[in-house]
Amino acid sequence: MRKGIVQRWFVFTTIIALVFTMAACSSSNNTNNDTAASNDGGNKAANDTAKNAGTTAAVADKPVNADEPGWKSDTSPITFDWYLNFSWFPNKWGVDATSQYITKKTGVNVNFIVPAGNENEKLNTMIASGTLPDFITLGWSEDGVKKMIEGGLVEPLNKLADQYDPYFFKVADPAKTSWYTQQDGNIYGYPNASSSPKDFEKYAREYTSNQTFVVRKDMYEAIGSPDMRTPEGFLSALKLAKEKFPDVNGQPLIPLGLHEFGDTGNYSLEGYLQNFLAVPYEKGGKLYDRVTDPEYVSWLKTFRKANEEGLLAKDIFIDKRPQMEEKIAQGRYFAMLYQRSDFTAQQNALFANDPNSVYIAVDGPANSQQAAPTLSGPGISGWTVTLISKDVKDKARAIRFLTYLISEEGNKDLFLGEKGATYDDIDGKEQFKPEVLELLNKDRSAFDKKYGASYTFWMLMDTNMNLKWAPPSVEPSKQLEDWTKGKTTSFSQFDQINPTGNSEEGIANTKIATAWGKTLPKLLLSKSDADFDKVFQEFLDKRKSAGFDKVQAYQQKKYEENVVKLKEFLN
């Protein structure tokens, strides 16, 4: 997922209704506090741990073959605790056909641990305790990644592979492992939804972006399908929609929907909006301060004006994803600057009820030159990274399971499921069975629970591999995807440039991000443009005193290193 989806990309593309994160030191200790998911629960995990306690050393002593998948050497039952740093992740391993098949095949069961509340608080508590679950998946840009590595809390994947499963090096993408190699020469995390420069060259025409500006089709057409690219047209359309449709099934219309406001800001009003305005990341080889870009500041003032005119509902400042999903399903938003994959299930429900009530992508906020948007496409950093804890109960089985999941075999299993159960050879192509595809297109949530395919478990998905198996898009998703084609850009060179951790620059960057998170809603709630300017200047002053110059110097150095590294990947 840079800040903003692709910052939090996931914020990803296809993506599927995605994303999840960590939870507890052990599933048994956190069952009452967090949502822990497993088909047989913590007791089985404890039993499997005991059962395998004497097995690891024996298995590790077996000769390893770099040409054979290591997981095949031991398929005895074992349960791994897997923390997902995404509180919204709803699925349990072992309930659906695909995860049951993978467990039957590999012997590995998974107990997902998901935080019940604030992800960062949960993760930081776990890190402070010095004890982590077996696997951890979180966004690549999260500060917790560096904290775990610097704290010696996670295993180097390359060393685990050397000792237990050299097949890892056969299936791991060299560009991705090089990108994630740390200064000590080790690789601690492997990404999902990652695309190297060569991938982008190869698949660019097929790539889509998750970043969309959408409107409710029937309402938009009822007010004359207005041009919303200019501040004047944008505000006029919101006003017309509110006047013509004051309520939706007895509930007030919400003229504009955004991603949730968090501690460090709002995706919609940062990277998303800046990309729609085609605000550059650099000029002449020097990183550009996108936050102070005149076009961007002007559009933030447009959102302020919208609030002044009663066009920003209070809901958008306080709602979290579950509340937003409920309101999307009710069709209560007129327009949204939002990640399209985050409302797939709700969109399908609207389509089933009334095809004209769905959300369609249209040209949204644009700069004064009406330039085409530069939407975030797949980057080499991907969306999330998965790490293996120092506390992992079985190092050999853990790296072998990770190797299986990132391989083509594992990705095929995660996407298509079991042959004969969820897919078959149909018309000369491996594809979902008709009834499976029908449910996928009709009800994503029900599909996940019944079949669990199509990357229901996306933690190590390869969104390039899946192109050979993915079924053609159908409405209502097709229109949203097609609208983004040709507008996607790779911003890989700007990934991994923000300082994190306890370095001087990292501390400064955290202070600045927190200050921005507090400032952004104040800007929108300002009573006048003059008040806006005052609040904005106060933020710039805080940013400067926090050490913004040091952060900029760090970012520039990392950016220049990235440019060199990416050129090497193209050779």
Side-chain angles (χ1 to χ4, degrees):
M1 42 184 192
R2 289 166 252 120
K3 221 177 162 186
I5 176 180
V6 136
Q7 276 184 323
R8 291 125 165 174
W9 168 251
F10 352 78
V11 40
F12 210 13
T13 137
T14 272
I15 230 137
I16 310 169
L18 315 138
V19 258
F20 334 138
T21 299
M22 331 177 26
C25 307
S26 79
S27 58
S28 57
N29 289 338
N30 289 282
T31 301
N32 294 328
N33 298 321
D34 299 327
T35 305
S38 171
N39 63 318
D40 52 4
N43 288 334
K44 176 146 184 359
N47 292 337
D48 286 340
T49 303
K51 186 174 183 179
N52 286 278
T55 305
T56 304
V59 172
D61 289 338
K62 291 182 178 180
V64 289
N65 185 347
D67 296 320
E68 284 292 326
W71 67 266
K72 292 183 177 181
S73 65
D74 184 359
T75 57
S76 61
I78 187 172
T79 295
F80 285 118
D81 292 331
W82 194 319
Y83 175 75
L84 301 173
N85 203 38
F86 303 92
S87 60
W88 50 261
F89 185 70
N91 299 305
K92 299 179 180 181
W93 187 275
V95 173
D96 60 276
T98 295
S99 61
Q100 289 174 1
Y101 165 63
I102 292 174
T103 295
K104 179 178 66 175
K105 177 177 182 175
T106 66
V108 178
N109 179 55
V110 177
N111 175 52
F112 284 124
I113 302 171
V114 181
N118 184 288
E119 289 97 341
N120 288 333
E121 288 181 4
K122 179 62 181 176
L123 181 58
N124 287 334
T125 298
M126 294 170 61
I127 292 173
S129 74
T131 305
L132 298 172
D134 303 303
F135 289 86
I136 307 100
T137 296
L138 69 167
W140 64 259
S141 63
E142 298 297 326
D143 197 46
V145 176
K146 188 169 185 179
K147 287 180 179 178
M148 287 187 286
I149 293 173
E150 291 181 344
L153 300 176
V154 289
E155 292 280 354
L157 300 183
N158 52 299
K159 290 187 176 181
L160 290 179
D162 281 335
Q163 187 171 2
Y164 303 116
D165 192 14
Y167 193 70
F168 169 85
F169 299 108
K170 201 174 188 70
V171 299
D173 187 318
K176 297 171 187 177
T177 54
S178 176
W179 184 255
Y180 275 99
T181 297
Q182 302 298 311
Q183 290 184 347
D184 63 4
N186 292 321
I187 308 158
Y188 294 91
Y190 199 86
N192 75 348
S194 168
S195 292
S196 69
K198 284 189 176 180
D199 291 330
F200 212 95
E201 283 188 346
K202 183 177 181 180
Y203 301 111
R205 292 183 179 180
E206 300 177 70
Y207 281 153
T208 60
S209 175
N210 256 352
Q211 298 178 338
T212 51
F213 177 71
V214 302
V215 292
R216 190 168 142 167
K217 184 176 184 293
D218 50 2
M219 294 181 181
Y220 182 66
E221 293 174 349
I223 62 173
S225 303
D227 185 345
M228 299 182 70
R229 292 177 296 171
T230 66
E232 297 76 19
F234 184 83
L235 292 172
S236 175
L238 296 184
K239 187 176 181 180
L240 286 171
K242 185 177 180 181
E243 290 175 349
K244 193 171 186 66
F245 304 96
D247 61 70
V248 178
N249 296 324
Q251 297 289 330
L253 176 78
I254 303 173
L256 180 67
L258 305 168
H259 280 275
E260 66 183 75
F261 282 84
D263 295 338
T264 59
N266 186 302
Y267 301 159
S268 299
L269 298 173
E270 296 161 359
Y272 278 46
L273 179 57
Q274 291 162 353
N275 289 350
F276 266 85
L277 302 179
V279 177
Y281 276 92
E282 60 84 26
K283 288 186 176 182
K286 296 295 182 182
L287 290 178
Y288 181 61
D289 186 6
R290 301 181 98 202
V291 172
T292 58
D293 179 81
E295 301 268 12
Y296 175 60
V297 174
S298 175
W299 267 94
L300 286 183
K301 287 185 175 181
T302 300
F303 284 92
R304 186 212 68 78
K305 186 67 174 177
N307 183 65
E308 180 184 332
E309 296 182 359
L311 300 174
L312 295 187
K314 292 181 180 179
D315 309 53
I316 68 173
F317 293 99
I318 58 176
D319 282 351
K320 298 300 180 184
R321 180 163 167 168
Q323 290 77 40
M324 294 158 62
E325 289 179 345
E326 180 180 358
K327 291 170 182 176
I328 294 173
Q330 296 168 347
R332 288 184 58 192
Y333 297 102
F334 162 62
M336 294 188 291
L337 187 56
Y338 206 70
Q339 178 170 249
R340 62 178 175 80
S341 62
D342 276 8
F343 62 97
T344 300
Q346 294 75 27
Q347 177 87 322
N348 286 341
L350 290 170
F351 186 76
N353 183 57
D354 179 3
N356 285 318
S357 70
V358 300
Y359 289 94
I360 58 171
V362 298
D363 293 336
N367 62 34
S368 57
Q369 303 302 311
Q370 301 290 283
T374 52
L375 305 181
S376 185
I380 194 166
S381 290
W383 168 32
T384 69
V385 289
T386 293
L387 308 94
I388 295 177
S389 165
K390 283 281 188 182
D391 301 310
V392 65
K393 59 176 60 74
D394 189 322
K395 294 179 181 180
R397 295 292 297 279
I399 187 62
R400 291 168 182 173
F401 188 55
L402 184 145
T403 298
Y404 157 72
L405 292 175
I406 69 173
S407 70
E408 182 167 341
E409 178 183 11
N411 264 264
K412 182 178 178 180
D413 289 344
L414 288 167
F415 191 85
L416 286 178
E418 182 178 14
K419 188 171 185 178
T422 50
Y423 82 96
D424 259 320
D425 289 314
I426 303 174
D427 298 329
K429 179 184 177 180
E430 293 179 320
Q431 54 187 303
F432 289 124
K433 298 170 71 172
E435 66 272 20
V436 177
L437 182 60
E438 181 182 8
L439 186 59
L440 173 63
N441 291 328
K442 180 181 179 182
D443 190 335
R444 177 74 211 204
S445 296
F447 172 90
D448 289 347
K449 290 178 175 59
K450 183 173 183 178
Y451 296 116
S454 189
Y455 290 144
T456 295
F457 305 102
W458 39 259
M459 299 81 204
L460 288 164
M461 65 182 177
D462 188 317
T463 46
N464 295 313
M465 282 185 190
N466 89 295
L467 293 174
K468 70 182 73 174
W469 311 305
S473 294
V474 298
E475 299 301 352
S477 297
K478 186 176 186 302
Q479 192 274 337
L480 301 180
E481 294 176 14
D482 288 348
W483 184 87
T484 70
K485 289 182 178 180
K487 302 180 179 73
T488 60
T489 304
S490 174
F491 294 122
S492 290
Q493 64 269 39
F494 306 105
D495 286 352
Q496 312 276 0
I497 66 171
N498 290 328
T500 58
N502 295 320
S503 66
E504 186 177 1
E505 297 88 352
I507 293 172
N509 192 55
T510 298
K511 288 181 179 178
I512 293 168
T514 302
W516 175 249
K518 294 178 179 178
T519 299
L520 186 56
K522 291 180 181 179
L523 293 174
L524 271 58
L525 295 170
S526 298
K527 295 181 180 179
S528 65
D529 281 352
D531 188 27
F532 177 104
D533 291 338
K534 181 181 178 182
V535 173
F536 191 65
Q537 186 58 51
E538 288 174 351
F539 163 72
L540 296 180
D541 292 341
K542 289 180 181 177
R543 187 177 73 163
K544 182 178 181 180
S545 62
F548 183 56
D549 58 336
K550 293 183 175 64
V551 173
Q552 281 185 307
Y554 179 97
Q555 292 173 328
Q556 181 67 32
K557 180 175 180 292
K558 290 295 182 182
Y559 160 65
E560 292 173 1
E561 291 174 356
N562 284 352
V563 171
V564 174
K565 188 182 292 187
L566 289 168
K567 284 183 179 178
E568 293 175 356
F569 295 158
L570 285 170
N571 294 332

